[in-house]
Amino acid sequence: MTRLCAVSVDLDEVGHYFAIHGLRGHEGGHVAYERGVPRMVAFAEERGISLDLFAVGGDLEWEGNARLLAEISRRGHVVENHSFGHRYDLTRLSAREITWEIEEGARIIEAVTGRRPTGFRAPGYTVNDVVFSALEAVGVEYDSSVFPCPAYYFAKAAMMGGMRIRGRESGSVLDSPKVLRAPVRAYRPGEHWYSRARGEGRARSFVELPIQVTRGARLPFIGTMVGGAGVLGATLLAKACVGEPLVNLELHAMDFLEVEDGLSALLPHQPELRTRLSARLSALSAALAVLVEAGYRFVHLHEAARALS
Ligand SMILES: [Zn+2]
């Protein structure tokens, strides 16, 4: 039986977090790359894991970030496309603008690493049929953005509703509730982004690798959840994923940062920062140990896409 595990990290620079929480006047800085990335690479390499890194093209216009990513890519980690500008409202742009966001991200990453990305992840997990058509036009092997997780969906809806009540503008866009009808395992998209291709009907040229949810309750098996769950909680969450052909564990550079990295303004908004970094890494480590124990083999997402398509 296939038991593959892919660990990917979205390398969103901290400025994107300030934007989504409507915090203005922060310079952003480069701590996601300067501090988060070296910690994450050390963590992965100690465990023999080669990562998929979803980079935002615009973040690489800072020379230091580009140099660091090129170096990490030479060590065997794979850099994939997280768009050019990390537009949380990607799905509200025109087809032309969406295509540009995807193509420009790919172009910059290829210029930095020498490899054209074959995978895409949308900012904020939000896609639609126009995004999927753009991915076909640009050419990808897989997309990994669809997050069919009721707990995440309703928490995001509540958070955005709360910001509206307080008169603050959130930069994010709520996915269509159709995401909750999407398959939880790898699928070839059909008529719509959330539906599987069937029979003679339309079939996309690429595979969707949904963000991981647990069996049963479909709890989010992502870095923020696992890191904050403690060792016991993380172990239970991982056990609830065992048996899935692919465990697609998605982390963020933020999962490797702490308040002392100059992020005190984000503390009220990013709950993961309330847990000590060492505790988050212990929990993550425990979850990965469960998967290794269950016979999971670490692969890159493009390898999983080929194995499962
Ligand atoms: Zn992101």
Side-chain angles (χ1 to χ4, degrees):
M1 192 174 56
T2 319
R3 287 199 168 179
L4 306 176
C5 177
V7 182
S8 59
V9 190
D10 299 355
L11 300 183
D12 310 10
E13 251 316 342
V14 291
H16 303 296
Y17 289 88
F18 283 84
I20 198 171
H21 297 304
L23 301 169
R24 292 175 219 290
H26 184 273
E27 273 128 51
H30 311 288
V31 293
Y33 275 74
E34 280 170 7
R35 300 197 190 175
V37 168
R39 287 175 195 152
M40 126 204 351
V41 168
F43 178 86
E45 290 181 354
E46 274 165 31
R47 288 159 184 80
I49 301 170
S50 188
L51 299 165
D52 286 305
L53 303 169
F54 285 88
V56 177
D59 291 343
L60 303 178
E61 290 179 336
W62 172 253
E63 179 61 31
N65 287 1
R67 247 199 325 268
L68 183 61
L69 201 63
E71 157 66 17
I72 287 158
S73 134
R74 279 194 292 275
R75 294 162 73 120
H77 302 285
V78 172
V79 182
E80 302 288 17
N81 186 4
H82 196 27
S83 83
F84 169 75
H86 206 270
R87 296 282 303 258
Y88 288 105
D89 59 354
L90 185 72
T91 54
R92 295 197 178 158
L93 304 182
S94 70
R96 236 178 100 173
E97 290 167 313
I98 290 173
T99 305
W100 186 86
E101 279 287 323
I102 297 169
E103 174 55 37
E104 188 64 4
R107 189 190 66 75
I108 293 176
I109 289 163
E110 185 176 7
V112 166
T113 66
R115 173 189 175 272
R116 181 155 175 103
T118 64
F120 181 76
R121 178 165 292 146
Y125 312 110
T126 312
V127 294
N128 60 15
D129 290 327
V130 184
V131 170
F132 271 24
S133 293
L135 288 173
E136 252 180 348
V138 169
V140 295
E141 268 189 274
Y142 71 89
D143 173 71
S144 180
S145 308
V146 172
F147 192 18
C149 177
Y152 173 81
Y153 182 84
F154 293 113
K156 187 173 177 182
M159 183 273 287
M160 289 177 65
M163 284 182 78
R164 262 195 302 278
I165 288 163
R166 292 194 301 276
R168 301 227 327 267
E169 193 60 41
S170 166
S172 77
V173 167
L174 192 64
D175 217 334
S176 155
K178 294 194 174 82
V179 68
L180 301 177
R181 284 160 42 184
V184 297
R185 289 183 177 172
Y187 64 100
R188 184 160 303 270
E191 194 59 41
H192 293 293
W193 59 273
Y194 49 85
S195 62
R196 192 187 291 278
R198 284 177 207 290
E200 298 296 293
R202 180 184 198 173
R204 292 290 187 187
S205 59
F206 60 90
V207 177
E208 173 62 34
L209 301 173
I211 306 291
Q212 196 64 45
V213 293
T214 64
R215 276 181 285 103
R218 286 202 266 155
L219 296 174
F221 189 67
I222 61 173
T224 39
M225 180 76 178
V226 175
V231 167
L232 179 61
T235 301
L236 293 174
L237 285 167
K239 284 185 173 167
C241 294
V242 167
E244 291 303 297
L246 169 65
V247 175
N248 179 8
L249 175 59
E250 183 237 14
L251 313 175
H252 282 90
M254 183 62 77
D255 294 326
F256 297 87
L257 294 175
E258 51 193 340
V259 180
E260 290 74 11
D261 293 320
L263 301 179
S264 51
L266 284 181
L267 190 57
H269 307 285
Q270 293 297 129
E272 64 267 46
L273 292 173
R274 285 171 218 156
T275 309
R276 298 295 310 167
L277 178 59
S278 57
R280 279 182 272 149
L281 296 185
S282 300
L284 200 53
S285 196
L288 291 168
V290 168
L291 297 173
V292 170
E293 179 71 19
Y296 277 85
R297 188 164 60 84
F298 292 109
V299 294
H300 289 287
L301 283 168
H302 68 82
E303 295 167 322
R306 285 173 208 168
L308 299 171
S309 70

